[in-house]
Amino acid sequence: MARLSGVADEEPEEPHPAHWGETASLFDIVVIIAGHQAYHAGELNQVLAICRGEAWEEGEEVEENNVSTLGHRVVPPWR
């Protein structure tokens, strides 16, 4: 955040080197990295929900990123 606060107004649209070997606008780099972090936050939330026994409703079986929910589902309260 400190480094982004020092960026001039016109600089976000200029190409910047990215750690994956390409160049992109600073805006695009920030959007890609933020999306990547949000994706992993969703994975962590899924694992936490499985560990807490709150993961899925009865009958719903999914596999996300090689994490099976088989046997971790929860009977919904309305049953």
Side-chain angles (χ1 to χ4, degrees), residues 13 33 43 57:
E13 296 304 318
I33 299 302
E43 288 181 315
E57 292 184 358

Side-chain angles (χ1 to χ4, degrees), residues 6 8 22 24 30-31 36 38 40-41 52-55 57 59-61 76:
E22 297 177 14
V30 170
V31 168
H36 183 78
H40 287 300
R52 292 176 183 144
E54 304 168 344
E57 292 184 358
E60 182 180 359
E61 301 293 349

Side-chain angles (χ1 to χ4, degrees), residues 26-61:
L26 187 58
F27 177 81
D28 289 338
I29 293 171
V30 170
V31 168
I32 290 167
I33 299 302
H36 183 78
Q37 298 300 326
Y39 174 82
H40 287 300
E43 288 181 315
L44 291 172
N45 282 332
Q46 178 194 19
V47 171
L48 288 171
I50 290 170
C51 291
R52 292 176 183 144
E54 304 168 344
W56 313 104
E57 292 184 358
E58 181 70 33
E60 182 180 359
E61 301 293 349

